[in-house]
Amino acid sequence: MRRPIDSLFGRLALLVVAVLMLSHFAWYALIRLERTQLQTRYAVEEATFLVDAVRQHVARTPDQPLPSRVKLVDPASPGVPPENASMPAPLERFVEDVRDRMPAGTQVRISPPGGPPTMWVRAPTDRNWIVVPVQPLRMPRSLDRTVLWLVIIFSFAVMAALFAAWALQQPLRSLAQAVTRFGRGLPVPPVPERGPRELRQLTHGFNQMVQEVARTENDRAVMLAGVAHDLKTPLARLRLRAEMMDDMKTRDGVVRDVDSMTHIVEQFLVFAHDSADRSESVEVDAQCERVVRTYRAVASGAPAVQIELNAGPSFLLPAATLDRILSNLLDNAHAYGAPPIVVATARTAQGYTLSVSDSGKGIAAQDLINASRPFVRLDPARGGNGHSGLGLAIVERLVRRAGGEWEIGNYDGRGLRVLMTFPFEVLPRVAAASEHAW
């Protein structure tokens, strides 16, 4: 099961959202703190200004009435609030800031809660208490216009960042897909060189590597095909001359050797063939049944071949590819395995499987890694006349070219099994390519 967090885009998106959320939260907390401090400073300035204005009013125009909510109270009046013993921390800081702005010895008191907040101020030179209103000191509301703007800015920032992350991971995704195709042996078109400088350099290096590997592979295939093709004519003449020998024993030996050499040459040609299979797509179950039936009839001394075909009619592969896979695996099982040989197909949750297994001794664990390498024969058990060491290499190349994966190993201690898996998504491409060819 794929997890979004495993992808580059998922991790970039998570990182971007986390960083933006942290920065916006810190910004919002800073704004709230600054807003509280600003509100306190404004309240102090306003209260100090009112007290100074009242003093100037009393000194210059004592007969004029005071503004509403501003009054002078006699110190002996019973309504004077007592000395504040304990106050909330913001209110205590407010009183201290006001006292610092007043002359030395000024008394500053706050009216008890329950009514409009007022401040009582009396300097040593004042005859009465000066009572002025103060701005209520309260924390900003948790949900206000700041939060709305914060959400809008955060949303646009996340969308822009996700788009940037998507644009950054697209070249990497194209490169990863190209690497996957290259690993399966499929043709790899040049990957567009885009993105940051390091990514462009990586893509350029990959394109150069693919071109060099393709050029080397093509040169080897051309050389191998040329040598194999040139050998076919002398082998045909050699067989013709062997048929004309009088000594039957010598003739049969020479003919067997010529047939072995001809088989090796044909394997060379198949291995060197590197173009896409344009043959018609056929049902794998039906084709396996036909190939096994023909193999039983043609192969002399062939061991018992059993079939377990459960994939269904939706499992399609090119006919030529399937025939070459089955013929190479059946020949390999016939030459080195033991009966019974089982050809099986199945449908799984990931795709279709095709397997060929025998009941021989299998291959030693340390030799499995070399079993599918070209021109490698595992001596002494897997040598023999007429074999070039290309059978399993041809099967691996054909399976990967068809979009599948293969696995070779000893099956449950009963012999060698080659298991080929073809995902569902490769089958429509196989069928479409076949229909286009026709």
Side-chain angles (χ1 to χ4, degrees):
M1 179 179 178
R2 287 187 174 183
R3 294 184 299 172
I5 196 62
D6 282 341
S7 66
L8 176 63
F9 177 75
R11 297 194 178 190
L12 282 176
L14 182 62
L15 176 63
V16 165
V17 171
V19 170
L20 286 176
M21 186 175 295
L22 180 61
S23 63
H24 280 68
F25 177 78
W27 175 78
Y28 181 64
L30 182 62
I31 290 296
R32 286 177 63 91
L33 177 62
E34 185 65 23
R35 180 177 175 179
T36 302
Q37 294 178 350
L38 182 62
Q39 185 184 27
T40 302
R41 288 196 298 268
Y42 179 78
V44 170
E45 294 292 337
E46 182 184 38
T48 305
F49 174 78
L50 287 176
V51 170
D52 291 339
V54 170
R55 285 191 181 127
Q56 294 178 10
H57 178 83
V58 170
R60 295 177 182 177
T61 56
D63 299 332
Q64 296 293 328
L66 294 172
S68 60
R69 298 185 61 190
V70 176
K71 57 185 177 178
L72 298 175
V73 178
D74 191 321
S77 174
V80 177
E83 182 71 27
N84 300 93
S86 63
M87 293 181 293
L91 195 57
E92 187 174 355
R93 286 195 299 268
F94 170 76
V95 170
E96 291 295 331
D97 291 341
V98 172
R99 188 178 290 118
D100 293 339
R101 298 292 300 274
M102 298 292 175
T106 300
Q107 302 180 57
V108 180
R109 300 180 184 180
I110 300 296
S111 63
T118 57
M119 182 178 65
W120 296 60
V121 178
R122 184 168 181 255
T125 57
D126 295 333
R127 296 176 55 186
N128 300 310
W129 286 95
I130 301 174
V131 182
V132 296
V134 295
Q135 181 180 353
L137 296 177
R138 62 177 183 275
M139 293 297 292
R141 292 172 296 175
S142 58
L143 295 176
D144 54 10
R145 186 172 298 179
T146 304
V147 176
L148 177 61
W149 281 108
L150 181 67
V151 171
I152 294 175
I153 295 173
F154 178 78
S155 301
F156 278 103
V158 167
M159 288 189 291
L162 292 182
F163 176 78
W166 176 82
L168 179 63
Q169 67 93 30
Q170 280 299 104
L172 280 176
R173 184 177 183 181
S174 300
L175 183 60
Q177 292 174 347
V179 170
T180 301
R181 290 181 59 85
F182 182 73
R184 291 181 175 180
L186 300 175
V188 180
V191 182
E193 299 176 13
R194 54 184 179 175
R197 182 179 66 255
E198 294 81 3
L199 186 55
R200 293 197 305 269
Q201 292 175 349
L202 176 62
T203 306
H204 180 72
F206 174 78
N207 288 334
Q208 283 188 329
M209 181 191 68
V210 171
Q211 292 175 0
E212 290 298 326
V213 171
R215 186 180 299 111
T216 302
E217 192 72 16
N218 184 66
D219 293 343
R220 184 179 69 169
V222 170
M223 180 186 67
L224 191 60
V227 172
H229 183 271
D230 292 342
L231 286 176
K232 291 181 69 176
T233 300
L235 285 174
R237 291 198 302 265
L238 186 60
R239 181 183 178 85
L240 179 60
R241 292 175 182 175
E243 294 288 351
M244 299 173 62
M245 291 181 177
D246 296 332
D247 188 350
M248 182 177 298
K249 183 176 181 180
T250 303
R251 182 186 63 192
D252 292 342
V254 173
V255 169
R256 283 196 301 270
D257 291 340
V258 171
D259 289 341
S260 297
M261 294 175 65
T262 302
H263 179 71
I264 292 175
V265 169
E266 290 175 352
Q267 291 286 76
F268 283 175
L269 289 173
V270 173
F271 183 76
H273 179 72
D274 197 30
S275 59
D277 189 354
R278 299 295 182 180
S279 60
E280 179 185 6
S281 294
V282 295
E283 295 182 14
V284 174
D285 286 2
Q287 188 70 6
C288 286
E289 188 174 358
R290 285 193 293 267
V291 170
V292 169
R293 190 185 314 116
T294 303
Y295 188 80
R296 289 170 180 166
V298 174
S300 58
V305 181
Q306 302 175 1
I307 53 177
E308 298 176 3
L309 309 176
N310 303 308
S314 299
F315 187 15
L316 304 175
L317 285 176
T321 295
L322 182 58
D323 289 345
R324 289 171 182 169
I325 290 174
L326 290 175
S327 61
N328 277 281
L329 291 180
L330 289 175
D331 288 343
N332 189 78
H334 180 196
Y336 308 118
I341 300 172
V342 180
V343 178
T345 62
R347 178 189 176 103
T348 65
Q350 290 75 30
Y352 294 100
T353 62
L354 169 63
S355 64
V356 177
S357 58
D358 60 60
S359 301
K361 296 181 180 180
I363 300 178
Q366 63 270 19
D367 293 331
L368 283 174
I369 191 172
N370 296 322
S372 62
R373 295 181 60 185
F375 308 107
V376 173
R377 292 190 298 177
L378 305 178
D379 294 329
R382 305 189 75 79
N385 295 328
H387 297 277
S388 59
L390 285 175
L392 293 179
I394 291 173
V395 172
E396 180 182 18
R397 175 172 290 194
L398 293 174
V399 171
R400 294 187 181 277
R401 191 179 297 159
E405 296 289 342
W406 92 318
E407 177 184 351
I408 181 172
N410 298 317
Y411 179 55
D412 198 18
R414 295 180 298 174
L416 187 70
R417 182 182 73 164
V418 177
L419 176 64
M420 295 151 281
T421 304
F422 300 89
F424 291 120
E425 55 266 21
V426 307
L427 298 181
R429 293 204 301 269
V430 171
S434 176
E435 293 174 1
H436 178 72
W438 283 86

